Coordinates of all heavy atoms in Angstrom, one line a residue:
F25 N 3.2 19.6 5.6 CA 2.1 18.8 5.5 C 2.3 17.6 4.5 O 1.8 16.5 4.7 CB 0.8 19.6 5.1 CG 0.1 20.1 6.3 CD1 0.4 21.2 6.9 CD2 -1.1 19.4 6.7 CE1 -0.3 21.7 8.0 CE2 -1.8 19.9 7.8 CZ -1.4 21.1 8.4
S26 N 3.1 17.9 3.4 CA 3.4 16.9 2.5 C 4.3 15.8 3.1 O 4.1 14.6 2.8 CB 4.1 17.5 1.2 OG 3.2 18.4 0.6
V27 N 5.3 16.2 3.9 CA 6.2 15.3 4.5 C 5.4 14.4 5.5 O 5.6 13.2 5.6 CB 7.4 15.9 5.2 CG1 8.1 15.0 6.0 CG2 8.3 16.5 4.1
A28 N 4.5 15.1 6.3 CA 3.7 14.3 7.2 C 2.8 13.3 6.5 O 2.6 12.2 7.0 CB 2.9 15.3 8.1
A29 N 2.2 13.7 5.4 CA 1.4 12.9 4.7 C 2.1 11.6 4.2 O 1.6 10.5 4.1 CB 0.6 13.6 3.5
A30 N 3.4 11.9 3.7 CA 4.2 10.8 3.2 C 4.5 9.8 4.3 O 4.6 8.6 4.2 CB 5.5 11.3 2.6
I31 N 4.8 10.4 5.5 CA 5.2 9.5 6.7 C 4.0 8.7 7.1 O 4.1 7.5 7.2 CB 5.7 10.4 7.9 CG1 7.0 11.0 7.5 CG2 5.8 9.5 9.2 CD1 7.5 12.1 8.5
V32 N 2.8 9.3 7.2 CA 1.6 8.5 7.5 C 1.3 7.5 6.5 O 0.9 6.3 6.9 CB 0.4 9.5 7.8 CG1 -0.9 8.7 8.0 CG2 0.7 10.3 9.0
G33 N 1.3 7.9 5.2 CA 1.1 6.9 4.2 C 2.1 5.7 4.1 O 1.6 4.6 4.0
T34 N 3.3 6.0 4.4 CA 4.4 4.9 4.4 C 4.1 4.0 5.7 O 4.1 2.8 5.5 CB 5.7 5.6 4.6 OG1 6.0 6.4 3.5 CG2 6.8 4.5 4.7
Y35 N 3.8 4.6 6.8 CA 3.4 3.8 8.0 C 2.2 2.9 7.7 O 2.2 1.7 8.1 CB 3.2 4.7 9.2 CG 2.9 3.9 10.5 CD1 3.9 3.3 11.2 CD2 1.6 3.8 10.8 CE1 3.6 2.6 12.3 CE2 1.3 3.1 12.0 CZ 2.3 2.5 12.8 OH 2.0 1.7 13.9
W36 N 1.2 3.5 7.1 CA 0.0 2.7 6.8 C 0.3 1.6 5.9 O -0.3 0.5 6.0 CB -1.0 3.6 6.2 CG -2.4 3.0 6.2 CD1 -2.9 2.3 5.1 CD2 -3.4 3.0 7.1 NE1 -4.1 1.8 5.4 CE2 -4.5 2.3 6.6 CE3 -3.5 3.6 8.4 CZ2 -5.7 2.1 7.3 CZ3 -4.7 3.4 9.1 CH2 -5.7 2.7 8.6
D37 N 1.1 1.8 4.9 CA 1.5 0.8 3.9 C 2.1 -0.4 4.6 O 1.8 -1.5 4.5 CB 2.5 1.3 2.8 CG 1.8 2.2 1.8 OD1 0.7 2.3 1.7 OD2 2.6 2.8 1.0
L38 N 3.2 -0.1 5.3 CA 3.9 -1.1 6.0 C 3.2 -1.9 7.0 O 3.3 -3.1 7.1 CB 5.3 -0.5 6.6 CG 6.2 0.2 5.5 CD1 7.4 0.8 6.2 CD2 6.6 -0.8 4.5
V39 N 2.6 -1.2 7.9 CA 1.9 -1.9 9.1 C 0.5 -2.4 8.8 O 0.2 -3.6 9.1 CB 1.8 -0.8 10.3 CG1 1.1 -1.5 11.4 CG2 3.2 -0.5 10.7

Side-chain angles (χ1 to χ4, degrees):
F25 272 81
S26 295
V27 169
I31 290 170
V32 169
T34 300
Y35 179 80
W36 191 272
D37 285 351
L38 299 178
V39 175

